[in-house]
Amino acid sequence: MLKYVVRRILLAIPLVLGISLLVFGLMHLAPGDPVRMLAGREAPQEVIDSIRREWGFDKPFLVQYFTWLSKVLRGDMGRSVISQLPVSYLIKSRLPYTLKLNFWATLLGLAIAFPLGVIAAAKRQTWVDYAASAFALVGMSMPGFWLALVLIIVFAVQLNWFPTSGTGTWAHYVLPTATLGFSWAAGLMRMVRTSLLEVLKEDYVRTARAKGLREKVVLVKHALRNALIPIVTVLGTWLAYMVVGTVVIETIFAWPGLGRLLTTALLQRDFFLVQAIILMISVAVVAANLLVDVLYAVIDPRVRLS
Amino acid sequence: MQPLLEVQDLEVCFARRQVLRRVSFSIAPGETLGIVGESGSGKSVTALSIMGLLSRPGRVTGGRVLWHGEDLLQLPPDSHRQLRGKAMAMIFQEPMTCLNPVYTVEKQISEVLMLHRGMSKKEAAEAAADYLEQVGIAEPMARLRNYPHELSGGMRQRVMIAMALAGEPELLIADEPTTALDVTVQAQILDLLKQLQAKTGMAMILITHDLGLVAENAERGVVMYAGEVVEEGSVEELFTNPAHPYTQGLLRSLPRWGEQQDMLYTIPGTVPRRLEGIAGCAFAERCPLAEERCAEPQSMHRFSATQAARCWRTKDKVGDAEWQSR
Ligand SMILES: Nc1ncnc2c1ncn2[C@@H]1O[C@H](COP(=O)(O)OP(=O)(O)OP(=O)(O)O)[C@@H](O)[C@H]1O
Ligand code: SF4
Ligand SMILES: [Mg+2]
């Protein structure tokens, strides 16, 4: 098990390096002088020169990359061209909001998707199953931003129950969490149901029933644990979608997280900031995938060996 | 003596398709009953119906399954569940896929002991090791920590047997327990079952498509064809004096000493896929003795306390000689 985890981590390192190279290289893909881009359109010549010197942009590409990488590793990701604040400071102040939002949304998503998926599979082809599947279908065909707008119109504008933006109290969390959580739950619920139905056909489920175990035990202990294996495998790919979803939702609810920081940075062509956030998000996705791999091994003993 | 289990006129449908028709037989405490028949004849469906494990779209549409005289089909599902694994246990044809891949052997055996015998986790672990030893697994303590994928097919079937024994059942249904195993392992597993049966006194239904296995292991046999029981009798009766042309055919297709393998007799034709259109004898299409009268419904004719066959000719018993001459 430990060997497996260590190997996964070692495999992730070149991946992260590759991503960083890509993120750094992106600047060079854009037409024109990367330094001019980093400095902002109206920057005076002295600023441009100082950035060029500080980040080694007068040197060959690989030297530039390693200069940049060593700075990034030490936590120096440059300064925002707009606010002149250090990028690392900006990220540190926004990250907790994104994490909190995603934490609650994930929790909500899991709390809806798992019970509903299990019940739908257990009671397949009954009205319970049809209702759950209808919920999933509606949830999946509704884009996140659209659901957000509907929720805002109903619960914020008309009923005036929850605020539409800000982060001060728990009430501020309700609408963005609900939006993210529901769009997430719909797809996940379907995955739980399909995967569980597949597993319920397995011989070992029949064995569990032959032992005289209660149906609940058969479902949760014997079937669900196995159904988790394909679910967890897909979860890795899903993380990328979650990131995109968060960016959209944060923008709509004016949520002061990384996603909104990214959209404003993009609009203002604040490239140091954009670079740093994209790097952060990519590393986070790699890390989450690593976690998924470990989880996979925890669930399925056959993975640990190979 | 009241039979341990008595199946009466059992009918099962999968959706609209009927797969069992008027299946009846019984088994006494401690007895070994063999059920033989070709693939698709309904052996597994019969066993699953007794266990209450038929899964959709399979459904019992008629008949009774009497356990100590009480009809299991009328029981609330939860009462039937409580008998499973305890009063009656079952082992299956596919040892490779019958154990849960994500749990250790210990956990899967202990589960039965904790559920049906009220043991604590610790007691169950000890007892589980004991059962592994009983089914002939070396180093039981080490094997308890294994996952199914770390064991061979024969080992897994032994674990399945240990799991079945753990509830101290009165009846063990073994559904082709050795079909998926190597020949040498097959003999070991059957020996093990016989030996365990002698020790515990449980009754056993041994399901197989091999009449030879019934001869070696059972006291009585039931021959199934296309969802029906076509003959039943003691092993001796079935082998020395088979009444139904299908049983006779099965017997003829058994390999004998000194006979060349490629000369082996096979009954021509295949089992009919659908029973609905067939009012008369389901074997008629393949029967060398078929006549007009065979298109009429056939009932069981009894010749002795133990032997009966579903064929009008057997009323005056078709002689082996007549059959051989065709
Ligand atoms: N889940 C199912 N859905 C539909 N039909 C089924 C199902 N299970 C069994 N049947 C049908 O019931 C009939 C009897 O099947 P059964 O499995 O009892 O045969 P068997 O005698 O055990 O054969 P084998 O020797 O191959 O195990 C077959 O015609 C089969 O097609
Ligand atoms: S009833 Fe007729 S067809 Fe059927 S087994 Fe007897 S002789 Fe053969
Ligand atoms: Mg079968």
Side-chain angles (χ1 to χ4, degrees), chain B residues 244-245 281 283-284 287 289-291 294 298 310-313:
Chain B
H244 196 281
C281 174
F283 187 57
C287 181
L289 305 176
E291 288 180 14
C294 304
Q298 303 296 318
R310 192 183 295 285
C311 167
W312 62 271
R313 281 175 172 276

Side-chain angles (χ1 to χ4, degrees), chain A residues 144-149 152 164-165 179 246-255 260:
Chain A
F145 73 88
W146 195 78
L147 178 61
L149 292 179
I152 288 178
T164 56
S165 61
T179 313
T246 312
V247 172
V248 173
I249 299 307
E250 284 189 0
T251 309
I252 294 178
F253 288 100
W255 193 261
R260 198 158 70 100

Side-chain angles (χ1 to χ4, degrees), chain A residues 203 207 211-212 221-222 226, chain B residues 81 97-98 100 103 111 116:
Chain A
D203 289 337
T207 305
K211 285 177 177 177
K221 197 170 149 200
H222 283 268
N226 281 282
Chain B
R81 170 186 72 74
T97 51
C98 276
N100 195 326
Y103 292 117
E111 207 170 31
H116 293 305

Side-chain angles (χ1 to χ4, degrees), chain A residues 1 4-5 114 195 199 204 220-235 291-305, chain B residues 100-104 107-108 147-149:
Chain A
M1 184 73 190
Y4 172 85
V5 174
F114 270 89
S195 177
V199 169
Y204 53 78
V220 174
K221 197 170 149 200
H222 283 268
L224 190 58
R225 172 90 181 257
N226 281 282
L228 281 179
I229 296 167
I231 295 174
V232 165
T233 323
V234 198
L235 228 52
L291 194 73
V292 162
D293 277 347
V294 172
L295 210 61
Y296 191 33
V298 169
I299 298 171
D300 189 351
R302 286 163 298 187
V303 174
R304 288 173 225 160
L305 284 179
Chain B
N100 195 326
V102 302
Y103 292 117
T104 58
K107 194 147 187 176
Q108 300 191 51
Y147 287 93
H149 70 269

Side-chain angles (χ1 to χ4, degrees), chain B residues 14 17 19-20 37-46 55-58 93 175-176 207 209 273:
Chain B
F14 275 87
R17 199 159 82 91
V19 300
L20 288 192
E38 282 167 283
S39 191
S41 56
K43 305 180 297 292
S44 296
V45 169
T46 305
S55 56
R56 300 187 342 154
Q93 190 170 346
D175 187 358
E176 308 202 32
I207 296 178
H209 52 246
R273 299 300 305 162

